[in-house]
Amino acid sequence: MEVMTRDEIIENVQDVLEEALGVDHDEVTLDATLMGDLEAESIDFLDIVFRLEKKFSTPEKPFKIEQGELFPENLMSDESLVQDGKVTDKGIQMLKERMPHVDFSLFDQDRSIDKISEVFTVKSLVDFVERKLDS
Amino acid sequence: MRWMWIDTIIDCEPEQQLVAIKNVSLAELHLHDHFPAQGDLSAYPVMPASLIIEGMAQAAGILVGSTRNFKEKVILAKIISAELLDDVVPGQTIRYTANLQRIDQTGASTAGVVQLLDHRDGAWRDLGRIDLMFSHLDQNRAGIEFPEENFVFGENFRTILANSGILERLCTTTSE
């Protein structure tokens, strides 16, 4: 199979989000946040993961997303990662290591856990898929 | 009234497909309120679409639960899409065919077909499609803990499975 271009990846990610979240094509801009702008709820993330896997899998190369690979898991229940509503040094380090597809630079200035959802943009999904297809 | 919206399971292919039946009867009290006679309009009892979706959720939920030998608490998390093209009236039979699309530690998705049997001519007709997503409650993203007892697959579910004679077939799976 030919290598997918970034534009093709964007197009496919847009399709996935339109189907999973019932949003219009023009709402799914690269800067749109999943939870804020596109109103995704937590269960939608599982739907998005399933659809991305289906969309980008080929018979030669399955596209399998492990639990916690795309979105963080159990962050709140670990005190060494989140304290008093703020992500700790250890937490931010773990997030950056585990999620190289996400830009944490703006989040890093405040680290309020309430704002973690803002880092998950359409662009972060596109970057995730692009990295994974390359690997 | 017990919250069971399938009567029996008539077929299953472990980890792939499950087929369940629901007979709709005027003995079901809610049908008398959905919809009662009003003014010049006579009563029009039809099965609420929300309960048809619940029936599919129970059929598909059993299919999902059976792949983990009913150890996971399987909860309906999202109605991906539901399309029903006609009303279902007392005396008719609904057939739910649930197909497992995807399952992992966190949850599962299913695609379902709903059909309707009109006993007057004995013909099955397609009524619509219901696609669902389920969550494995103990694997929730927030890490919240729930009681150990599996309150999802309680006595009523076990009764249906036992009466369907299908429990052993469903639970002989070995997948993790």
Side-chain angles (χ1 to χ4, degrees), chain B residues 117-160:
Chain B
L117 173 65
D118 190 329
H119 290 276
R120 288 171 300 187
D121 60 11
W124 285 99
R125 292 181 188 84
D126 284 349
L127 183 66
R129 304 187 60 85
I130 300 172
D131 297 341
L132 303 172
M133 175 147 272
F134 295 87
S135 181
H136 289 145
L137 204 54
D138 292 328
Q139 313 289 337
N140 65 90
R141 285 163 42 86
I144 298 168
E145 287 189 23
F146 287 87
E148 203 165 302
E149 180 209 338
N150 197 334
F151 48 82
V152 177
F153 296 110
E155 191 184 337
N156 288 325
F157 274 104
R158 289 199 296 271
T159 303
I160 286 182

Side-chain angles (χ1 to χ4, degrees), chain B:
Chain B
M1 182 169 63
R2 302 286 183 179
W3 198 252
M4 296 310 301
W5 297 101
I6 55 173
D7 295 337
T8 191
I9 298 164
I10 58 167
D11 198 12
C12 77
E13 197 66 47
E15 301 183 43
Q16 289 181 34
Q17 188 182 74
L18 185 139
V19 186
I21 290 288
K22 156 75 183 157
N23 293 300
V24 181
S25 161
L26 207 50
E28 295 170 51
L29 290 178
H30 63 279
L31 291 183
H32 297 268
D33 296 316
H34 193 271
F35 298 92
Q38 205 171 18
D40 293 338
L41 297 172
S42 51
Y44 186 61
V46 291
M47 178 151 172
S50 52
L51 294 181
I52 298 176
I53 295 172
E54 175 64 24
M56 177 61 85
Q58 295 186 356
I62 289 173
L63 176 63
V64 172
S66 67
T67 66
R68 299 281 197 275
N69 286 329
F70 300 104
K71 293 201 169 67
E72 293 281 358
K73 302 180 185 86
V74 178
I75 294 289
L76 175 63
K78 178 175 174 177
I79 301 165
I80 295 170
S81 66
E83 185 179 33
L84 298 168
L85 301 174
D86 207 352
D87 289 332
V88 179
V89 299
Q92 293 180 323
T93 297
I94 300 172
R95 178 162 69 190
Y96 296 106
T97 303
N99 292 291
L100 189 64
Q101 299 287 96
R102 172 76 169 75
I103 185 162
D104 74 3
Q105 275 181 306
T106 46
S109 66
T110 61
V113 176
V114 189
Q115 290 165 304
L116 195 59
L117 173 65
D118 190 329
H119 290 276
R120 288 171 300 187
D121 60 11
W124 285 99
R125 292 181 188 84
D126 284 349
L127 183 66
R129 304 187 60 85
I130 300 172
D131 297 341
L132 303 172
M133 175 147 272
F134 295 87
S135 181
H136 289 145
L137 204 54
D138 292 328
Q139 313 289 337
N140 65 90
R141 285 163 42 86
I144 298 168
E145 287 189 23
F146 287 87
E148 203 165 302
E149 180 209 338
N150 197 334
F151 48 82
V152 177
F153 296 110
E155 191 184 337
N156 288 325
F157 274 104
R158 289 199 296 271
T159 303
I160 286 182
L161 288 166
N163 286 347
S164 305
I166 222 150
L167 189 59
E168 284 179 10
R169 259 174 79 190
L170 273 174
C171 288
T172 50
T173 57
T174 53
S175 79
E176 280 304 311

Side-chain angles (χ1 to χ4, degrees), chain A residues 20-21 42-47 50-51 53-54 64-65 67 71-77, chain B residues 77-78 80 101-109 133-136 139-144:
Chain A
L21 305 176
S42 61
I43 190 60
D44 293 320
F45 289 110
L46 186 60
D47 195 7
F50 282 5
R51 286 173 192 272
E53 288 183 345
K54 203 171 171 186
K64 177 89 179 78
I65 302 170
Q67 195 174 357
F71 304 110
E73 300 279 338
N74 302 339
L75 205 58
M76 295 293 285
S77 55
Chain B
K78 178 175 174 177
I80 295 170
Q101 299 287 96
R102 172 76 169 75
I103 185 162
D104 74 3
Q105 275 181 306
T106 46
S109 66
M133 175 147 272
F134 295 87
S135 181
H136 289 145
Q139 313 289 337
N140 65 90
R141 285 163 42 86
I144 298 168

